[in-house]
Amino acid sequence: MSPSLHSAAPHHLPSFVTAPGETDVLMVVMAVVLVIAVLAVGLLFLRLHTLPERMAHKSHKLQFEIVAVLGLLALFTHMHIFWVAGLLLALIDIPDFGNPLRRIAGSLEKIAGLKPGEGAYGAPDEVGVDTEPAEAAGEGEVEVPKTIPLPRMPKERTHA
């Protein structure tokens, strides 16, 4: 005995309609597509979000750490102004004033007859220590006390 169809039921059902107790293939395929789409959109979002940091890292910018912190702030606060500020900092090349000043100091050390990097460490700690008064130094000669140079701090390398 074959089951008879209801008179209002269509005689031909679409292929995506499954019988009771069978696996719904369309639902399984769409669940896999949904998971892959969510992961792809999340990956695209994170790649776009880290764009300023990757740009600053690739071009070895001095302000790399600032750009990275702005990116994290934008990620956790959802305030896009931090991301825009990080992108602008990654695009702008801030001039390095330290390198020319180090070159000037090195040239002055060479003129003074000191080894490079030795000038800051050879000076006394206080002005006028172990110096004679100007009258006792010689006739008409005035001795200028040594100045205290600021100690050099080596530049910290954060990444290679």
Side-chain angles (χ1 to χ4, degrees), residues 50-65 67-68 90 158-160:
T50 60
L51 178 68
E53 186 176 350
R54 286 185 285 123
M55 288 172 58
H57 183 72
K58 189 185 331 177
S59 60
H60 302 291
K61 301 278 184 178
L62 293 174
Q63 64 270 23
F64 171 72
E65 289 85 10
V67 172
T158 56
H159 55 78

Side-chain angles (χ1 to χ4, degrees), residues 23-119:
T23 303
D24 191 358
V25 178
L26 182 63
M27 186 185 77
V28 171
V29 169
M30 290 312 298
V32 170
V33 168
L34 179 68
V35 167
I36 290 173
V38 166
L39 289 176
V41 168
L43 184 65
L44 178 68
F45 174 74
L46 288 176
R47 293 282 293 177
L48 181 65
H49 187 77
T50 60
L51 178 68
E53 186 176 350
R54 286 185 285 123
M55 288 172 58
H57 183 72
K58 189 185 331 177
S59 60
H60 302 291
K61 301 278 184 178
L62 293 174
Q63 64 270 23
F64 171 72
E65 289 85 10
I66 299 170
V67 172
V69 168
L70 285 172
L72 285 175
L73 281 173
L75 179 66
F76 292 123
T77 62
H78 301 291
M79 296 179 68
H80 303 298
I81 191 70
F82 292 129
W83 187 85
V84 172
L87 183 64
L88 290 176
L89 271 177
L91 292 173
I92 294 172
D93 192 18
I94 295 178
D96 180 20
F97 294 112
N99 195 22
L101 291 175
R102 280 190 292 278
R103 290 181 62 201
I104 291 170
S107 297
L108 290 175
E109 288 172 346
K110 188 185 289 184
I111 291 171
L114 300 173
K115 293 180 183 175
E118 188 178 272

